Amino acid sequence: MARPPSEPDAPDLPEAVATPRSRWRVQIVWLVPVIAVLIGGWLAAKAVLDKGPTITISFATGEGLEAGKTRIKFKNVDIGVVRSVTLSKDHGSVIATAELTRDTSNMLVDDTRFWVVRPRISGGTVSGIGTLLSGSFIGMDLGTSTKERRDFAGLESPPVIASGVAGREFVLKSEDMGSLDVGSPVFFRRLQVGQITSYTLDANGKGVTLRAFINAPYDKYVQTDTRFWHASGVDVSLGTEGVKVNTQSLVSILIGGLAFQTPDETTGQPEAAVRTEFILFHDRTEAMKRHDRIVDTYIFNFNGSVRGLTVGAPVDFRGIVVGEVSAIYTRFDRVRKQFSIPVEVRFYPERFTSRYKSGDAGGRVTGNRRQLVDWLIARGMRAQLRTGNLLTGQLYIALEFFPAAPKAGMDWSANPPEMPTVPGGLQSLQDSLTSLLAELNKIPFEGIGKDAQKTLADADSLLKQLRTEVMPQARDTLAAAQTALDSANGALQPDSQLQQGTTDAMRELARTAAAFRTLADYLERHPEALIRGKQEDNK
């Protein structure tokens, strides 16, 4: 098009030039939402990739659990949070659903444990005090299994032993729990070396099974013949050395505990394997008693009272315990119409073998035990009840030889066989007194009394006769005798005639004896004088 002529007064304006529209202008505008979508997708993917596993944990109660706030911690590091807390379908428990971090996937195995950490006192230990300010949380302990798991049953109390602690666990069988509890201490030579980790009631209801964890390096002292016993109380014993009080520690008295030790004669045996089963005894005395491999059962039948004899009472042979009472029964003999007390005993024949020398192997004294027992019975061995403690009246059974005992034999047809007995010392005394009283009752004391009264009456008559008839004559006789004594006494006085005559006679006899002595001397010198006569002396 031709340009019109310019007017002198009109300003110069630039001429509009048509520019073609760029095709990239619309794509640049849409770049921002695209980038936003990409960022959102990346965040979403990252959220999905960073999201950890979701697990469910069942608890008996929801105490301390709060959705969105209750944390899950492992070694005090947050690894998850509880998202919801709901009741189970049967309303019997609480289900906590929790989300964990991504790096915990390999920690969720079959034996992983969870529990609510809250303030608690158990087994003499105090835990969870910090939650008074920070609030409760769920604790976690790693398992050792390789099987993965996503639903768990929470523990009602925290585990006593955390995973990774060096040591070994052992199983203990006991008749009852005593004062033990989870966390109760285990002592070795008065050092606390372990804890009770759990306990369960046996299926038959006749005992309990406990699990004890012994920390390393003390677990090496648990050997195949180690003995465990309750150390929860105070053991008081009275012996020749006075009163002894034994206990492990003040803690064991307050909260209970147990102890273990290996007998000196079996020290050096191999270490017990993990989860080896042991018997938990009531006290140290029972635990450290010799546990014999060979046990024979016999019956001792007593006719008298066994008051003071209890199950567990010793069977003694000359001061050595060779058995113990296992049961006490009653028996009625329908033929004799009499009651008796059969006492069942466990007899340990190994205790008759020689063990004071090193290397002696124990076992029975002889292979034929019946022959040995018959030989002992034939030589007077009998069982007798004796008093073991005068203060308590406790009895024990003594095996001793009684050569004068009536002959008896063993009844091997009975099961268990029955050994003969003799009455105890008190029973024998009682029988003797009974026999003596029976004999005394046979004496006719009434007739003897009447005879004695008659004799006393006769004696009284005799005394009266003596006073009336004999006494006067006796007095006259005594007077005459006194007169004779007075006369004799007067005659014996120095100035009496009899005394002077006697003195003169004695003098004459002395002179006569001197003359005879002179004559004898002369005849001894001059025997011829008997024929010739006495010769005159030459002057």
Side-chain angles (χ1 to χ4, degrees):
M1 175 182 283
R3 184 176 180 181
S6 59
E7 297 180 0
D9 296 331
D12 294 334
L13 295 174
E15 184 178 358
V17 178
T19 304
R21 186 176 181 180
S22 175
R23 60 181 181 177
W24 296 101
R25 183 172 299 175
V26 175
Q27 294 179 356
I28 294 175
V29 172
W30 287 96
L31 185 61
V32 174
V34 170
I35 294 175
V37 171
L38 292 175
I39 293 175
W42 178 79
L43 292 175
K46 186 176 184 300
V48 172
L49 294 175
D50 289 343
K51 183 180 180 181
T54 299
I55 63 172
T56 58
I57 310 172
S58 64
F59 293 100
T61 177
E63 180 184 0
L65 300 177
E66 190 174 355
K69 292 185 178 181
T70 303
R71 313 295 296 181
I72 299 178
K73 296 184 179 183
F74 174 68
K75 293 187 177 181
N76 211 27
V77 176
D78 289 346
I79 59 173
V81 64
V82 175
R83 292 303 182 187
S84 66
V85 180
T86 59
L87 289 174
S88 62
K89 293 182 179 180
D90 59 357
H91 300 167
S93 60
V94 174
I95 306 298
T97 303
E99 292 182 2
L100 304 183
T101 58
R102 183 180 61 179
D103 56 352
T104 60
S105 297
N106 60 348
M107 303 168 62
L108 303 174
V109 293
D110 190 61
D111 55 349
T112 298
R113 298 175 290 183
F114 294 90
W115 67 94
V116 179
V117 179
R118 61 175 69 97
R120 70 179 71 240
I121 300 176
S122 176
T125 60
V126 180
S127 61
I129 298 298
T131 59
L132 293 173
L133 300 177
S134 63
S136 301
F137 63 90
I138 297 178
M140 174 182 173
D141 186 47
L142 292 180
T144 58
S145 176
T146 57
K147 181 181 178 181
E148 293 186 359
R149 187 174 179 179
R150 291 297 182 267
D151 57 321
F152 299 90
L155 303 176
E156 294 303 315
S157 59
V160 178
I161 304 298
S163 59
V165 177
R168 285 180 290 171
E169 187 179 58
F170 302 98
V171 180
L172 305 176
K173 292 287 187 177
S174 177
E175 294 181 355
D176 53 63
M177 281 290 296
S179 57
L180 298 176
D181 196 0
V182 173
S184 295
V186 179
F187 296 96
F188 176 70
R189 300 192 182 277
R190 301 185 186 272
L191 296 176
Q192 183 174 346
V193 297
Q195 304 85 24
I196 298 295
T197 58
S198 65
Y199 61 87
T200 56
L201 181 67
D202 293 343
N204 57 9
K206 295 183 178 180
V208 293
T209 300
L210 302 96
R211 295 183 180 272
F213 186 86
I214 310 299
N215 302 318
Y218 306 106
D219 58 335
K220 66 181 179 181
Y221 298 111
V222 181
Q223 302 175 356
T224 56
D225 194 36
T226 296
R227 317 288 173 81
F228 288 81
W229 67 87
H230 285 273
S232 305
V234 179
D235 183 13
V236 181
S237 61
L238 177 62
T240 57
E241 299 178 357
V243 179
K244 291 185 178 180
V245 180
N246 297 319
T247 183
Q248 292 297 322
S249 68
L250 182 61
V251 175
S252 66
I253 298 177
L254 298 177
I255 65 172
L258 57 88
F260 69 90
Q261 187 177 342
T262 303
D264 294 337
E265 60 268 18
T266 58
T267 302
Q269 292 186 352
E271 297 180 12
V274 177
R275 296 183 180 87
T276 300
E277 188 174 295
F278 295 92
I279 297 177
L280 181 59
F281 296 94
H282 286 288
D283 52 47
R284 186 181 187 278
T285 302
E286 182 182 359
M288 298 305 290
K289 287 195 306 185
R290 181 188 300 171
H291 296 273
D292 300 83
R293 299 171 299 171
I294 305 175
V295 180
D296 295 334
T297 303
Y298 293 98
I299 290 291
F300 296 153
N301 192 30
F302 296 99
N303 295 321
S305 174
V306 295
R307 182 178 181 85
L309 186 68
T310 58
V311 174
V315 178
D316 181 283
F317 175 71
R318 296 185 176 180
I320 304 298
V321 177
V322 295
E324 62 182 359
V325 175
S326 57
I328 302 175
Y329 307 101
T330 58
R331 177 191 295 171
F332 179 71
D333 191 338
R334 300 180 184 273
V335 177
R336 300 179 181 178
K337 306 298 182 182
Q338 293 180 348
F339 282 96
S340 61
I341 310 297
V343 178
E344 182 181 289
V345 302
R346 287 193 292 264
F347 190 75
Y348 308 120
E350 287 182 297
R351 301 190 182 183
F352 279 94
T353 57
S354 175
R355 287 193 173 183
Y356 68 92
K357 295 182 180 179
S358 60
D360 288 345
R364 295 183 182 273
V365 177
T366 179
N368 191 341
R369 72 181 180 99
R370 293 190 177 186
Q371 182 179 1
L372 175 61
V373 173
D374 289 336
W375 183 82
L376 294 174
I377 297 300
R379 278 154 181 78
M381 175 172 278
R382 301 290 187 271
Q384 184 185 51
L385 287 175
R386 294 182 180 178
T387 302
N389 192 314
L390 295 176
L391 297 178
T392 62
Q394 292 179 340
L395 300 178
Y396 70 96
I397 298 178
L399 291 178
E400 191 54 78
F401 290 96
F402 298 90
K407 292 186 177 298
M410 285 289 297
D411 183 9
W412 293 105
S413 61
N415 187 22
E418 185 174 319
M419 296 184 70
T421 62
V422 294
L426 294 178
Q427 184 65 33
S428 300
L429 178 60
Q430 183 177 353
D431 294 341
S432 300
L433 291 176
T434 303
S435 301
L436 178 60
L437 290 176
E439 295 296 331
L440 290 176
N441 289 332
K442 295 179 181 179
I443 299 176
F445 288 103
E446 184 176 357
I448 294 176
K450 293 180 180 180
D451 292 341
Q453 291 179 354
K454 184 178 180 181
T455 302
L456 291 175
D458 294 340
D460 186 58
S461 300
L462 178 61
L463 290 175
K464 290 181 180 179
Q465 184 178 1
L466 289 174
R467 283 196 299 269
T468 57
E469 298 179 3
V470 179
M471 289 300 294
Q473 297 179 2
R475 282 197 296 270
D476 296 339
T477 303
L478 290 175
Q482 183 65 36
T483 302
L485 289 175
D486 292 339
S487 300
N489 188 28
L492 294 176
Q493 293 297 323
D495 54 351
S496 62
Q497 295 181 356
L498 178 61
Q499 184 69 18
Q500 292 179 357
T502 302
T503 302
D504 294 338
M506 293 299 294
R507 290 176 181 173
E508 290 297 330
L509 289 174
R511 284 195 293 269
T512 303
F516 275 108
R517 189 180 302 109
T518 303
L519 176 61
D521 292 339
Y522 181 80
L523 291 176
E524 183 178 0
R525 293 193 303 270
H526 305 282
E528 70 278 4
L530 291 174
I531 299 175
R532 298 178 182 178
K534 182 178 180 181
Q535 298 293 328
E536 294 292 337
D537 294 334
N538 295 323
K539 297 186 180 178

